[in-house]
Amino acid sequence: MGIDDVILELDKGLRTLAGTPRAVRPMPVGDADPSALSPAERQEAAALMRVNHCGEVCAQALYQGQALASDNAELKRALEQAAREEEDHLAWAEQRIAELGGRTSLLNPLWYAGSLAIGFAAGKLGDAWNLGFLKETERQVERHLQGHLDRLSASDARTRAIVAAMQRDEAGHARTADALGARELPRPVKEAMAAVAKVMTTVSYRL
Ligand SMILES: [Fe+2]
Ligand SMILES: [Fe+2]
């Protein structure tokens, strides 16, 4: 890891936090009109998308930490590809929150810093564990997004389309990690990850 890598990652981090993510793919289609939703439905959708936006900030930081800590070129490429798709998620979530009249989480810088450290630590454990961590993260996010699909109003086609597209991408990231040789994490580690994620999702739902 050279100073160039660090500067590059720093730049990505600042862009993530400054709220200027660039979506490469267009936002998934769906009814654009939030006025079709009741105020309560709109508020709930904005809160759920704030949680997802925060999750995507964390994803960026995790991948950056993991890529910084790894010397494996193939793994770095996979992380960068996944991070690009996550950047679409970040941009879509941000746009949808704005449409719904909500705001992003105030604590994003804090979650970003914590996730960067966790990603770096995972990366230092070696490629198989690094990939195992990636796979488990994606699996948990996939399940979490299913929970949101269950909670979102049936009439909120636009938010649902975004969440469903994210969910498909996360499943793809998990498969990529698997194909590259992810090691299955021990159950207590998975549970610890879920516990940390629970704190993040609970707090960002409100703040
Ligand atoms: Fe994502
Ligand atoms: Fe992902």
Side-chain angles (χ1 to χ4, degrees):
M1 170 177 57
I3 188 73
D4 292 358
D5 290 329
V6 175
I7 291 171
L8 193 72
E9 298 304 329
L10 205 61
D11 174 62
K12 277 192 227 164
L14 290 173
R15 267 196 292 130
T16 300
L17 291 173
T20 48
R22 293 179 295 219
V24 174
R25 294 169 295 167
M27 191 142 113
V29 287
D31 183 2
D33 182 11
S35 66
L37 304 172
S38 73
E41 285 173 334
R42 206 157 47 224
Q43 208 179 12
E44 171 74 355
L48 294 179
M49 290 311 277
R50 176 166 60 244
V51 173
N52 293 334
H53 179 268
C54 183
E56 296 297 341
V57 168
C58 292
Q60 290 292 330
L62 285 173
Y63 290 156
Q64 285 169 24
Q66 288 181 265
L68 274 174
S70 171
D71 294 321
N72 179 331
E74 192 183 17
L75 197 156
K76 276 175 181 282
R77 257 198 312 281
L79 286 164
E80 274 158 23
Q81 173 61 34
R84 255 197 303 281
E85 292 187 1
E86 307 292 3
E87 200 170 339
D88 286 349
H89 300 175
L90 193 65
W92 297 340
E94 197 175 307
Q95 187 181 337
R96 189 56 183 151
I97 289 168
E99 288 172 0
L100 292 161
R103 55 160 180 75
T104 54
S105 173
L106 301 170
L107 298 178
N108 279 344
L110 200 70
W111 299 121
Y112 183 89
S115 301
L116 191 68
I118 292 172
F120 192 82
K124 281 297 173 201
L125 296 175
D127 292 344
W129 290 121
N130 200 4
L131 286 159
F133 180 78
L134 174 64
K135 179 184 166 189
E136 179 59 20
T137 303
E138 300 291 353
R139 286 269 174 259
Q140 291 192 13
V141 174
E142 203 188 329
R143 281 199 295 275
H144 157 85
L145 292 174
Q146 185 54 50
H148 281 198
L149 286 172
D150 296 340
R151 277 168 79 177
L152 283 164
S153 159
S155 46
D156 192 352
R158 191 163 168 88
T159 308
R160 301 184 70 86
I162 296 166
V163 173
M166 286 179 173
Q167 198 186 28
R168 275 194 300 279
D169 285 346
E170 315 306 8
H173 299 158
R175 280 195 300 275
T176 302
D178 224 6
L180 289 173
R183 190 174 292 164
E184 195 71 20
L185 300 184
R187 181 192 276 272
V189 175
K190 292 182 182 179
E191 287 172 356
M193 288 167 68
V196 172
K198 181 79 187 159
V199 174
M200 183 278 277
T201 56
T202 306
V203 174
S204 60
Y205 181 81
R206 297 179 187 286
L207 289 175

